[in-house]
Every structure is written in structure tokens, then in C-alpha cells.
């Protein structure tokens, strides 16, 4: 049950952060923000400054206010929201199918030791797969960075955001999926 709560908390936190990235510029663009809204604005931009350079020329401006993170970071966080939600959905569907097709009394004791060995091999393969996934997900951002550094030209916000989406998707997918593997 702890894994379910952890997974739900991770998904909620990722989705809340992505929502705050859009809501905060809207609040900041209002003529008179309430004390609560002002505190939220300061907090979100402050957290954004810890994880992002927040350069105005590299950031989206919505509702006349700069977003709390740059375009690439925005892509990462919106991709993370999609990845966290997708990981949870796929896991829920898989869990439902497994409950519908598995008879717990059908596993013989001698088959359990074989299952343990195959589970260890599967975990090692999963780690390799996770590393490959992260490498592939980082490739678009690496390409845009190499382009920027070699030409001195900055790609558009849309290109930088799109390059960040795969990283967010992959990392969130892996983190949310890993919540099941935690020891309580």
C-alpha cells in the first residue's frame, strides 16, 4: 500500500508543478495579486531559480509574464507530467490484467526459485534498458545544445521545449515505475 501512496504522491507533485508553471505567470500578470498569490508567485519563481537559469530570452512569456523556467525546462516538466501519468496508467492496466489471469494457488514451490532467478536477470536487463532509454531521451537536448554551442544561434522556444519533453517522459516514467520496487 505504501508504493501506491508513493506513486500517487509523485504523480500529484509532478502534475502540480507543471500546473504551477502555467498558473504563476497568469497570477504575476494580474494588476493586484492577493498576499497568498504573491507568496505563491515568489515561491514558484524562487524554486524555478534553483533548477533553471531563467534567462528571459530563453523563456516563454505568457499573459505578459515570463514563465518560472526556460522553454527547455518547461518541456522537461510537461513531459514529466505525461510520463508520470502514462506510467501510472500502464501499471494500472497491467495490474488489472494480471489479477484477471493469475491464479495464486497455481504456482508450485519449485517454480518459485526459477522465478526468483529470472526476476534477477530481468532486473539487470531493466537497468540496461533504463540506461538506453535515458540516453535516447537525452539525445534531442544534446543535439540542440551542440547546435547552440557550435553556431552561437539559439533554436526557437518550441524546438528547445520539444527537445526537453523526452527527458521528462523517460525520467518520470522510470521514477514512478520504481515506486513499486521500494522496500517498505
Amino acid at each position: 500500500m505504501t508504493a501506491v501512496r508513493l506513486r500517487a504522491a509523485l504523480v500529484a507533485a509532478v502534475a502540480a508543478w507543471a500546473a504551477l508553471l502555467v498558473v504563476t505567470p497568469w497570477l504575476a500578470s494580474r494588476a493586484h495579486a492577493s498576499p497568498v498569490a504573491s507568496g505563491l508567485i515568489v515561491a514558484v519563481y524562487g524554486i524555478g531559480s534553483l533548477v533553471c537559469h531563467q534567462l528571459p530570452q530563453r523563456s516563454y512569456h505568457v499573459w505578459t509574464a515570463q514563465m518560472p523556467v526556460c522553454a527547455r525546462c518547461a518541456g522537461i516538466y510537461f513531459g514529466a507530467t505525461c510520463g508520470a501519468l502514462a506510467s501510472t496508467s500502464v501499471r494500472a492496466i497491467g495490474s488489472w490484467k494480471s489479477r484477471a489471469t493469475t491464479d495464486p494457488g497455481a504456482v508450485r514451490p519449485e517454480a518459485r526459485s526459477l522465478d526468483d532467478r529470472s526476476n534477477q536477470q530481468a532486473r539487470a536487463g531493466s537497468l540496461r534498458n533504463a540506461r538506453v532509454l535515458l540516453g535516447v531521451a537525452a539525445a534531442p537536448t544534446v543535439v540542440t545544445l551542440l547546435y547552440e554551442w557550435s553556431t552561437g544561434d539559439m533554436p526557437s522556444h518550441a524546438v528547445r521545449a520539444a527537445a526537453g519533453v523526452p527527458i521528462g517522459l523517460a525520467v518520470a516514467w522510470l521514477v514512478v515505475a520504481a515506486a513499486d520496487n521500494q522496500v517498505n
Side-chain angles (χ1 to χ4, degrees), residues 125-135 174:
S126 293
L127 184 56
R128 278 191 300 277
N129 291 344
R131 288 178 181 154
V132 169
L133 175 64
L134 291 174
L174 294 171

Side-chain angles (χ1 to χ4, degrees), residues 125-171:
S126 293
L127 184 56
R128 278 191 300 277
N129 291 344
R131 288 178 181 154
V132 169
L133 175 64
L134 291 174
V136 170
T141 293
V142 169
V143 168
T144 61
L145 286 171
L146 290 174
Y147 174 79
E148 286 179 52
W149 295 339
S150 62
T151 66
D153 185 33
M154 182 182 71
S156 70
H157 292 340
V159 169
R160 293 175 72 245
V165 168
I167 295 170
L169 277 166
V171 170

Side-chain angles (χ1 to χ4, degrees), residues 54-76:
Q54 296 180 324
L55 295 174
Q57 67 274 21
R58 293 177 178 259
S59 302
Y60 283 112
H61 290 72
V62 291
W63 295 292
T64 70
Q66 178 182 330
M67 286 185 74
V69 295
C70 72
R72 182 175 287 125
C73 289
I76 290 169

Side-chain angles (χ1 to χ4, degrees), residues 86-127:
S87 179
T88 300
S89 300
V90 167
R91 190 207 174 283
I93 290 168
S95 174
W96 176 78
K97 284 183 178 179
S98 124
R99 278 193 304 253
T101 60
T102 303
D103 177 14
V107 178
R108 296 183 322 270
E110 62 273 8
R112 285 193 186 121
S113 64
L114 291 174
D115 286 342
D116 290 342
R117 273 186 250 129
S118 63
N119 283 341
Q120 288 173 351
Q121 291 170 347
R123 280 192 292 271
S126 293
L127 184 56

